[in-house]
Amino acid sequence: MNTIQRIAKNTGVLFSSQITSYILGFFYIMYTVRYLGAEGFGILSFALAFAGILGVLADLGLGTLTVREVARDKSLTGKYLGNIAVIKIILVVITYALIVLVINLMGYPVLTIKIVYMIAISVCFNSFTNMFYSIFQAYEKLEFRSLGNIINSVLLLVGSLVIITQSLNIAWFAYINVIASFLTLGYAFCVCRWKFITPKLEIDLVFWKPTIKEALPFFLSAAVDIVAFRIDIVMLSMIKGDTVAGWYSASYKLMEVLLFIPAAFAGSIYPVLSSSFVSSQNFLKVASQKSLHYLFIIGIPIALGTTILADKIILFIYRGDFVQSIVSLQILIWTIPIIFLTFMSGTILASMNRQITVLKFNFICMIFNVVINLLLIPRFGLIGASITTVITSLLALILFYKFLSKNLYQIFDYKYILKPVIASIIMGLFIFNFSEINIFLLVSISILIYFASLILLKTFSKEDHALFMKIINNKQVDVKV
């Protein structure tokens, strides 16, 4: 199987699994939000955001480093897995202790603290699961990671339905997170032992020092990134209360779940880009350009269509108690085309050993996000938080784009923007004029109109067709940019 086909296969596997997980997650969120209401969902969302921010310490950037290094040299699998497992044992103990300490200093109610404790345990389990997923990704066997995601989603959905039918309290949603993360970890361990290597704990302090040093930029970048895009929920909870945090989280979840698209694409192409950086700079350039182009084509119609249909979407999923989430969703959804490009740009830089650059940009965005949230949330609440998220995403994209264009090569041409925008407007006009028909039928027809418009506008070049034919027919087609 050639490189292009491997990318297509891995992307397809991840997309399929993520779509399945999205469908399961859709029902999980819908039933959970309806059952808990805005205040209850605000508490659960706060716990997930808070534990997620501090929980990034449990990885320390070792997962991303493992993918890059093992993708380049498979003989390092045992060395990385054995040593990182020991390091993570130490890290999760420190992480959990830190979460317990900080949440008790914040003065939250006993129930909220209890939920944070349980979510923190699931974060620690997930850290070990992601360690195994890094091995799967490095070997480009993403079907195993995909199945793990589906298992986790099924467990969460089934667990939430049991909670709702038994009329249990909010704490049980935290328990279900722990159970799901533990069972998913067991699955990942078994697959690694069955298909790749039997994990054996190893303590090589000579290996630890350079490895941790090399991983630190990934950790710091991930830390500031998650703070930039999670701190808003924590701040809303502290400043405006759990109900407002719940309204915001309801719209944010609908936007966030769509991030599986760049995550799946970047996850499949990252090991290929990492190896291409060493072996083929030309392919690295081609893959980077095409990746950004395709992600923009996907992202822009999602933003426009959701903006028009936000009221229908919110009322259908969450019902009338979440009317306040409509405007928030209309604003937040515009982070989608922006983050699609930013996510991929960060992946490109990481594959080229430019993680320090990614860290610098993410740090700037984190500071910007916190400052703007402090200014806007007290006055505008969830709308202020929504606006801050969009402009923070835009700042990140500008920083990445300018650096890549100036210091490396032109990876995204403005000519790639116009035709998808025109096709999106055509699609948007149809949605606006026929918004009263069934939403599922409306979305299906809109997708067909969008891609038909792209074809009529001759959006795809000969190189794109060559790539598609290479993927389908396994032909050796030269691709030039």
Side-chain angles (χ1 to χ4, degrees):
M1 186 181 294
N2 61 47
T3 303
I4 297 295
Q5 287 183 310
R6 291 204 314 273
I7 294 172
K9 174 248 185 183
N10 287 325
T11 303
V13 167
L14 275 180
F15 263 81
S16 299
S17 71
Q18 290 287 6
I19 289 173
T20 303
S21 298
Y22 171 77
I23 294 171
L24 296 169
F26 169 82
F27 288 106
Y28 167 72
I29 292 172
M30 181 175 71
Y31 291 130
T32 299
V33 173
R34 288 181 179 181
Y35 182 73
L36 293 177
E39 184 178 4
F41 189 61
I43 294 172
L44 183 61
S45 298
F46 164 78
L48 290 166
F50 178 78
I53 289 173
L54 296 182
V56 71
L57 176 63
D59 182 71
L60 206 66
L62 294 167
T64 305
L65 179 67
T66 299
V67 175
R68 192 183 74 187
E69 298 304 319
V70 174
R72 293 173 178 175
D73 185 355
K74 302 298 190 297
S75 66
L76 296 173
T77 303
K79 172 67 73 173
Y80 270 87
L81 191 59
N83 281 277
I84 287 175
V86 177
I87 296 172
K88 277 184 175 285
I89 292 173
I90 299 170
L91 290 175
V92 296
V93 173
I94 296 173
T95 298
Y96 193 81
L98 181 63
I99 291 173
V100 169
L101 174 63
V102 175
I103 191 61
N104 278 280
L105 292 175
M106 294 176 70
Y108 270 89
V110 174
L111 178 60
T112 302
I113 293 175
K114 180 181 179 181
I115 292 171
V116 169
Y117 286 172
M118 299 307 296
I119 296 297
I121 293 174
S122 70
V123 167
C124 293
F125 284 149
N126 288 336
S127 179
F128 284 103
T129 302
N130 289 331
M131 175 184 69
F132 294 116
Y133 284 176
S134 296
I135 300 300
F136 305 164
Q137 186 177 349
Y139 277 80
E140 300 179 49
K141 297 294 183 180
L142 299 181
E143 57 268 28
F144 299 120
R145 175 180 172 181
S146 300
L147 181 57
N149 291 335
I150 294 174
I151 290 171
N152 188 72
S153 297
V154 169
L155 291 170
L156 288 175
L157 176 58
V158 172
S160 66
L161 292 175
V162 171
I163 292 170
I164 293 169
T165 55
Q166 297 300 313
S167 300
L168 301 174
N169 66 25
I170 184 176
W172 282 92
F173 285 93
Y175 298 147
I176 288 300
N177 272 272
V178 174
I179 295 170
S181 59
F182 176 74
L183 293 177
T184 306
L185 171 59
Y187 155 81
F189 174 84
C190 292
V191 170
C192 185
R193 185 176 180 181
W194 173 44
K195 284 290 186 179
F196 299 96
I197 188 172
T198 300
K200 295 181 180 179
L201 298 181
E202 182 178 342
I203 301 176
D204 183 350
L205 298 181
V206 176
F207 176 81
W208 283 22
K209 184 176 179 180
T211 300
I212 293 174
K213 182 179 179 181
E214 187 72 12
L216 278 176
F218 291 119
F219 158 66
L220 294 173
S221 182
V224 298
D225 191 44
I226 198 169
V227 168
F229 292 98
R230 288 290 184 275
I231 197 65
D232 45 8
I233 296 175
V234 175
M235 293 174 71
L236 277 170
S237 174
M238 295 175 66
I239 298 171
K240 291 293 185 178
D242 293 324
T243 299
V244 176
W247 289 335
Y248 178 78
S249 298
S251 57
Y252 195 97
K253 283 291 183 182
L254 295 179
M255 180 276 295
E256 185 181 44
V257 76
L258 294 171
L259 298 183
F260 81 85
I261 296 173
F265 194 90
S268 64
I269 202 172
Y270 177 57
V272 177
L273 294 179
S274 296
S275 59
S276 297
F277 177 64
V278 176
S279 61
S280 175
Q281 290 286 322
N282 183 62
F283 182 81
L284 177 64
K285 179 180 178 181
V286 171
S288 300
Q289 291 174 322
K290 295 300 181 184
S291 297
L292 291 166
H293 185 201
Y294 299 151
L295 286 173
F296 183 77
I297 286 174
I298 296 171
I300 192 67
I302 292 175
L304 183 58
T306 303
T307 301
I308 300 172
L309 295 173
D311 56 340
K312 282 180 169 289
I313 294 170
I314 291 294
L315 295 177
F316 173 77
I317 298 174
Y318 301 135
R319 296 178 178 169
D321 292 341
F322 286 83
V323 172
Q324 292 85 351
S325 301
I326 294 173
V327 177
S328 178
L329 177 60
Q330 289 175 320
I331 298 170
L332 281 172
I333 199 64
W334 287 96
T335 60
I336 288 298
I338 300 171
I339 289 181
F340 277 21
L341 301 181
T342 306
F343 199 110
M344 192 63 227
S345 298
T347 301
I348 294 167
L349 286 174
S351 71
M352 303 174 72
N353 298 349
R354 295 276 189 162
Q355 55 266 32
I356 297 295
T357 302
V358 176
L359 169 60
K360 290 178 181 178
F361 293 160
N362 285 345
F363 182 77
I364 292 171
C365 291
M366 180 194 73
I367 298 300
F368 178 83
N369 182 274
V370 172
V371 171
I372 301 301
N373 268 320
L374 285 172
L375 293 173
L376 297 185
I377 285 178
R379 184 173 180 181
F380 300 106
L382 77 164
I383 301 302
S386 303
I387 293 171
T388 300
T389 299
V390 174
I391 59 178
T392 301
S393 302
L394 184 59
L395 173 62
L397 178 59
I398 292 170
L399 292 173
F400 279 118
Y401 175 75
K402 284 188 173 295
F403 180 86
L404 286 168
S405 300
K406 180 179 179 181
N407 296 282
L408 299 173
Y409 43 76
Q410 189 79 14
I411 61 169
F412 192 73
D413 198 309
Y414 289 108
K415 68 182 180 181
Y416 293 145
I417 297 176
L418 183 59
K419 291 179 181 179
V421 168
I422 294 173
S424 296
I425 293 172
I426 295 170
M427 179 202 72
L429 290 172
F430 170 79
I431 295 174
F432 184 80
N433 285 287
F434 294 91
S435 59
E436 298 305 318
I437 68 175
N438 179 275
I439 188 169
F440 296 104
L441 178 61
L442 181 62
V443 170
S444 299
I445 297 174
S446 299
I447 292 172
L448 292 175
I449 290 174
Y450 176 67
F451 282 100
S453 300
L454 288 178
I455 294 171
L456 291 173
L457 290 168
K458 299 181 179 180
T459 305
F460 301 105
S461 66
K462 293 180 179 179
E463 288 77 18
D464 295 315
H465 292 297
L467 281 172
F468 298 148
M469 292 305 298
K470 188 174 184 180
I471 292 168
I472 295 170
N473 299 323
N474 193 22
K475 292 182 179 179
Q476 298 298 317
V477 180
D478 292 329
V479 181
K480 299 177 181 179
V481 176

